[in-house]
Amino acid sequence: MRKQFAVVGLGRFGGSVCKELYKMGHDVLAIDSNEDKVNEFTNFSTHTVIANATEESTLQSLGIRNFDYVIVAIGENIQSSILCTLLLKEMGVRNVWVKAQNDYHHKVLEKIGADRIVHPEKDMGIRIAQHLVSEKIIDYIELSDEYSIVELLATEKVANRSLIQLDIRAKYGCTILAFKRKEQVIVSPLPDDLIHLNDILIVIGHKNDLKRFEEEGL
Ligand code: ADP
């Protein structure tokens, strides 16, 4: 079933979220108080509205509580972001995802019931740094302070060997979730599946174990 999304704030972050959701075939209502911004999105959303998302009556007239997800991507103006989130939660929107500017903003959003708080610049900074320190790390997703998922490039050391031969889980405590091989994704690989040179291995585990595998196992 197609989900209904609304994106508030069409800056770089909100704009990318809006375009991507629309590209994936979802219904997206694009909201911004700036008319020029809104006009930019007429071809990249289902509906566009010029509106101030900190006005309760405006949000009500948009029927915002019927949306499955509302993404609050108001950038600089922390006060507006907080007020908008508060109104959306009070109005009963089930899933409100909000972009936070800093840790204080995050704390307030948590208190007023934001369902998910994202820090795109911070997260992307971490991912880029991980990639910079090791050519083998293609991508990195932090699951918690302790656990991550990483995409690692298969080197000569593991090429043409099977998972059972390498015994990665026993030796390093990490689990290979999938291989990416050109356009193909091999999900839940079997113990006998061979790794090819330059496959991308998607691995989950404790950060220390992942580091050990990346440094010693690859
Ligand atoms: P980014 O850092 O993701 O580029 P910006 O701060 O540039 O974010 O963009 C935030 C967007 O949110 C702007 O287009 C701005 O017009 C919009 N915005 C700010 N306040 C409101 C509001 N109260 N209602 C609706 N849109 C808003």
Side-chain angles (χ1 to χ4, degrees):
M1 216 175 82
R2 270 159 45 136
K3 288 183 180 161
Q4 308 272 331
F5 295 91
V7 178
V8 179
L10 303 169
R12 286 158 304 172
F13 175 69
S16 307
V17 172
C18 175
K19 283 184 181 170
E20 194 61 24
L21 289 169
Y22 185 63
K23 207 165 91 183
M24 290 190 284
H26 294 287
D27 286 327
V28 192
L29 170 67
I31 305 167
D32 202 292
S33 48
N34 177 327
E35 185 175 354
D36 293 338
K37 275 274 157 216
V38 169
N39 289 337
E40 273 178 42
F41 282 80
T42 44
N43 292 329
F44 303 106
S45 60
T46 322
H47 299 285
T48 51
V49 183
I50 306 163
N52 179 357
T54 57
E55 289 172 2
E56 189 169 6
S57 55
T58 307
L59 292 173
Q60 246 151 11
S61 67
L62 292 172
I64 205 88
R65 64 184 304 266
N66 299 320
F67 284 78
D68 299 308
Y69 287 86
V70 180
I71 298 96
V72 181
I74 295 174
E76 295 296 301
N77 195 332
I78 293 180
Q79 193 179 323
S80 296
S81 157
I82 292 169
L83 184 52
C84 176
T85 306
L86 184 67
L87 291 172
L88 292 169
K89 285 315 293 180
E90 273 183 1
M91 291 165 79
V93 178
R94 196 98 61 75
N95 295 294
V96 180
W97 289 33
V98 193
K99 169 183 151 160
Q101 288 295 99
N102 54 47
D103 291 344
Y104 296 110
H105 188 189
H106 184 117
K107 271 194 186 164
V108 177
L109 291 171
E110 220 169 23
K111 279 256 173 356
I112 61 175
D115 299 282
R116 175 103 177 239
I117 304 161
V118 296
H119 295 258
E121 289 95 350
K122 187 172 150 193
D123 293 349
M124 194 42 105
I126 294 171
R127 289 162 82 163
I128 299 279
Q130 292 288 341
H131 191 34
L132 281 171
V133 295
S134 169
E135 296 276 302
K136 287 182 243 167
I137 300 176
I138 308 293
D139 207 349
Y140 177 91
I141 301 168
E142 190 168 67
L143 299 176
S144 70
D145 285 345
E146 292 178 37
Y147 292 92
S148 307
I149 295 177
V150 287
E151 289 191 357
L152 298 167
L153 196 63
T155 58
E156 300 274 4
K157 206 164 167 181
V158 292
N160 300 317
R161 304 192 62 196
S162 68
L163 293 181
I164 200 137
Q165 280 174 319
L166 292 166
D167 209 10
I168 293 162
R169 197 176 302 164
K171 282 190 190 150
Y172 299 100
C174 343
T175 303
I176 298 196
L177 300 173
F179 307 155
K180 278 205 257 181
R181 187 170 295 156
K182 298 203 173 86
E183 298 307 307
Q184 201 187 357
V185 181
I186 301 149
V187 182
S188 304
L190 301 170
D192 291 333
D193 283 347
L194 289 184
I195 295 176
H196 293 189
L197 183 66
N198 293 333
D199 276 356
I200 294 171
L201 312 178
I202 301 163
V203 195
I204 187 167
H206 192 283
K207 285 177 185 174
N208 297 341
D209 294 334
L210 290 168
K211 190 159 187 289
R212 218 158 43 84
F213 173 52
E214 185 245 318
E215 287 174 355
E216 299 166 21
L218 277 178

